[in-house]
Amino acid sequence: THTHTHQISYIPPNAAIPASDLAKRSLLAVPTGGATLEGLKSNVEVCLLFILHWLAGRGHFAVDGRVEDSATAEISRAQVWQQVYHRAPLPDGGNEAHVVTPTLVRRLALEVGAQKAKQWPLFTKAQWENALKLMERLVLPRQCPLFLTTFLQEQGVIDGVGVGGEREGERERTPSARL
């Protein structure tokens, strides 16, 4: 019977990898295969746009022929966080040091925000700014927040604008602003 609280220490009896081989590897090692600037930019885009739509009360959105939701946004933000944390090398460049840095992620987020703001003018400047701030707080801290949506729900109001775009003080008077 499996009594562990996580899967790291659990090796199923019919595992394809012998326990002796598995013990030689770290399950928490940085994956090989590398990051790319294109992949990083795509992850930043998905994370930023999900947060923006979350602020507008929507849990999914379509971009470039794809439908994105909290699951894909969660993967994207976790990958960005891991790449920043581990200073993942970028074989295709990205900045002078050719690694993922907070500065590079901020620059990409601003570029994506400027490009997408032209495509989606229905969002306010305050919503774009809040989405950028929230994304930075999700992907740049030393310790990664556990879940994207839990983090966003816990934030409530950022710089006076609530998750539904209402000004502070309106939230209590507007039942529909609650998630």
Side-chain angles (χ1 to χ4, degrees):
T1 303
H2 175 53
T3 59
H4 303 283
T5 58
H6 52 72
Q7 296 178 351
I8 291 175
S9 62
Y10 177 71
I11 302 170
N14 59 351
I17 302 170
S20 59
D21 289 346
L22 191 57
K24 294 176 186 173
R25 299 184 227 176
S26 170
L27 293 175
L28 300 177
V30 177
T32 58
T36 64
L37 184 59
E38 183 179 326
L40 177 63
K41 187 173 184 178
S42 176
N43 284 336
V44 165
E45 176 184 73
V46 169
C47 186
L48 178 62
L49 293 177
F50 177 79
I51 294 168
L52 179 70
H53 283 81
W54 178 276
L55 290 172
R58 294 191 273 306
H60 67 281
F61 63 97
V63 62
D64 301 328
R66 304 180 320 262
V67 175
E68 306 289 0
D69 62 8
S70 62
T72 54
E74 183 66 59
I75 293 165
S76 293
R77 77 97 194 179
Q79 286 181 343
V80 173
W81 182 88
Q82 287 176 340
Q83 291 169 355
V84 170
Y85 181 82
H86 293 290
R87 296 184 51 84
L90 292 169
D92 53 354
N95 66 11
E96 307 79 47
H98 300 289
V99 297
V100 179
T101 63
T103 301
L104 175 60
V105 169
R106 283 185 189 103
R107 180 176 62 84
L108 291 175
L110 288 170
E111 288 174 9
V112 165
Q115 176 192 16
K116 296 299 177 183
K118 291 175 186 171
Q119 293 176 357
W120 287 328
L122 62 130
F123 293 107
T124 67
K125 183 178 179 183
Q127 287 172 312
W128 282 103
E129 289 171 355
N130 288 338
L132 284 163
K133 287 177 190 177
L134 284 166
M135 193 192 93
E136 283 189 16
R137 292 175 56 197
L138 277 161
V139 301
L140 300 181
R142 180 84 176 129
Q143 186 160 352
C144 186
L146 289 180
F147 297 102
L148 169 71
T149 53
T150 303
F151 174 85
L152 292 173
Q153 287 175 337
E154 289 171 351
Q155 300 314 298
V157 175
I158 302 296
D159 290 342
V161 179
V163 292
E166 74 283 357
R167 290 267 161 226
E168 195 167 6
E170 292 177 315
R171 188 171 202 193
E172 293 75 28
R173 295 189 311 261
T174 312
S176 62
R178 297 181 194 275
L179 294 177

